[in-house]
Amino acid sequence: MSLKGKDIISALQFTREEVEYLFRLAEKLRKEIDEKGILDYAKGKIMVTAFFEPSTRTKLSFQFAMKRLGGEVIDFEVTTSSLAKGETDIDTLRIIDGYNPDVIVLRQKKPHFPEQIAPMIKAPIINGGDGWNEHPTQALLDVYTIWREFGYVDGLTIGIMGDLKYGRTPSSLSYLLSKFKDITIYYIAPQPLQIRDEVVEKIEGKVTYYKVEKLEEVIDKLDVLYVTRLQKERLPDPSMYEKLKGIYKVDLQVLAKAKKIPVIMHPLPRTWELDVSVDNLRQARYFEQAQNGMYIRAALLKEVLGV
Ligand code: NCD
């Protein structure tokens, strides 16, 4: 497998072999990091994080991952930069690229921006989220978490619930799951937030999927329930948020009705859709999921850097 020097734009670009290779590498790096703290694979390499949209986990876990690999990190500070003077994102990235970083992790609010800019940029670009479109490294950590939990991915039934229309994690997660066998996905959402056609078109024939409105209809079938927040900042009109706020929610009361409580995941941040009362269940995996992000991103960086 070689991801050396490649742009990482979409979860669709990976082969199953690459994904499984990255999972095993993440396990190996986890052991080495736990033993030694800082490794030296990426010594002398520089990663830039350029996030034009807010982030906690994605940016921090990439930064931690690069440091743990022994590399250097430079963060492009959006708020204090010349963006405030009207400089465009494209010019900004060309300037960053001119200083010859070894990799750039980019988050941008325009869907498909990473694939448009990548040909103009020498350094490999890793997409850290492009608007509502995709979040491929989130999908890697999501499926990595599932794989660690069950020991396999084939044959599992996953419920993806919440804002499937304006969210970018449901699309990338669907694409990555489509690389595995006998996957069933239940898209659980009120009509205005259901999964985009363009997403299901890409997994057609590879995954069995159903669209449903209510969790109660399907909860007993699920191995995993993946909850997402309503993407307030991406809704076309603010009154939509007020109308849809609180329309779906996972709490102990809802889960008590299930014959078997599935593994519960969430990309975070959460708002009102996932109650803190769920946190103490052994099936709650979202904090562990966020932690897994650092190891799988370390694995991805190691491969993209070719070190
Ligand atoms: C997600 C994102 O940015 O798309 N967050 C993350 O990266 N963990 C989910 C979200 O913002 O709802």
Side-chain angles (χ1 to χ4, degrees):
M1 172 187 95
S2 184
L3 292 175
K4 187 175 175 183
K6 291 218 176 117
D7 299 310
I8 306 297
I9 304 291
S10 164
L12 281 168
Q13 80 185 71
F14 296 110
T15 63
R16 175 183 178 138
E17 288 66 36
E18 285 169 341
V19 173
E20 289 180 326
Y21 180 86
L22 289 172
F23 292 172
R24 288 192 296 273
L25 180 57
E27 289 301 278
K28 175 174 168 279
L29 291 175
R30 181 188 296 264
K31 279 202 205 91
E32 293 178 19
I33 288 169
D34 287 353
E35 258 167 48
K36 300 195 185 121
I38 306 281
L39 312 175
D40 56 13
Y41 295 109
K43 210 168 162 200
K45 303 283 182 190
I46 301 178
M47 174 187 81
V48 174
T49 42
F51 279 53
F52 299 88
E53 258 195 340
S55 168
T56 300
R57 277 149 293 272
T58 307
K59 185 155 99 171
L60 274 177
S61 64
F62 264 113
Q63 293 181 335
F64 266 93
M66 188 61 175
K67 289 272 187 187
R68 295 279 179 210
L69 289 176
E72 300 290 326
V73 172
I74 292 178
D75 184 44
F76 167 71
E77 287 278 353
V78 173
T79 44
T80 55
S81 72
S82 287
L83 287 179
K85 302 184 201 165
E87 187 160 40
T88 63
D89 297 4
I90 296 180
D91 281 0
T92 305
L93 283 162
R94 291 181 114 164
I95 296 301
I96 293 172
D97 195 43
Y99 303 136
N100 293 327
D102 297 286
V103 60
I104 300 173
V105 185
L106 169 67
R107 172 170 286 190
Q108 228 279 350
K109 60 174 172 298
K110 281 196 267 325
H112 302 287
F113 182 78
E115 72 215 51
Q116 286 154 9
I117 187 91
M120 287 184 236
I121 300 293
K122 290 192 305 298
I125 297 266
I126 300 180
N127 180 4
D130 58 323
W132 45 256
N133 183 41
E134 272 217 59
H135 196 348
T137 66
Q138 178 71 39
L140 281 174
L141 78 91
D142 294 340
V143 183
Y144 175 48
T145 302
I146 295 171
W147 177 81
R148 292 194 90 225
E149 190 61 29
F150 293 88
Y152 55 89
V153 180
D154 291 335
L156 292 175
T157 298
I158 291 122
I160 310 181
M161 174 173 166
D163 185 351
L164 314 180
K165 183 166 184 177
Y166 300 100
R168 56 192 166 205
T169 62
S171 40
S172 287
L173 176 57
S174 303
Y175 298 154
L176 207 65
L177 285 171
S178 77
K179 307 287 170 176
F180 291 84
K181 284 200 205 90
D182 302 322
I183 298 291
T184 305
I185 301 179
Y186 285 94
Y187 293 111
I188 310 160
Q191 233 298 310
L193 300 177
Q194 257 301 351
I195 192 83
R196 304 186 295 278
D197 289 344
E198 128 231 329
V199 177
V200 287
E201 275 159 22
K202 293 190 183 108
I203 59 164
E204 201 68 63
K206 297 184 194 135
V207 167
T208 307
Y209 70 87
Y210 305 92
K211 298 181 192 175
V212 299
E213 289 217 11
K214 296 250 176 289
L215 176 61
E216 297 87 287
E217 296 171 45
V218 295
I219 190 159
D220 289 334
K221 300 190 171 78
L222 305 180
D223 297 303
V224 176
L225 173 61
Y226 185 96
V227 189
T228 64
R229 83 183 158 93
L230 182 53
Q231 306 279 301
K232 187 177 184 182
E233 70 279 26
R234 290 188 224 292
L235 298 176
D237 131 38
S239 71
M240 204 172 157
Y241 184 77
E242 291 314 315
K243 245 187 261 159
L244 294 168
K245 194 175 157 186
I247 191 164
Y248 57 91
K249 183 170 187 171
V250 176
D251 58 17
L252 284 184
Q253 237 179 326
V254 171
L255 294 174
K257 293 188 203 130
K259 280 205 211 95
K260 173 198 86 180
I261 297 179
V263 167
I264 300 176
M265 295 174 59
H266 192 307
L268 304 176
R270 65 172 146 190
T271 49
W272 36 259
E273 70 287 350
L274 178 58
D275 195 75
V276 290
S277 63
V278 177
D279 296 3
N280 293 330
L281 292 181
R282 73 180 162 75
Q283 291 91 342
R285 283 290 177 278
Y286 25 96
F287 287 106
E288 195 179 61
Q289 185 185 348
Q291 214 176 18
N292 289 340
M294 183 182 80
Y295 299 108
I296 197 76
R297 285 174 172 134
L300 182 67
L301 282 172
K302 184 172 179 300
E303 289 311 296
V304 169
L305 292 168
V307 295

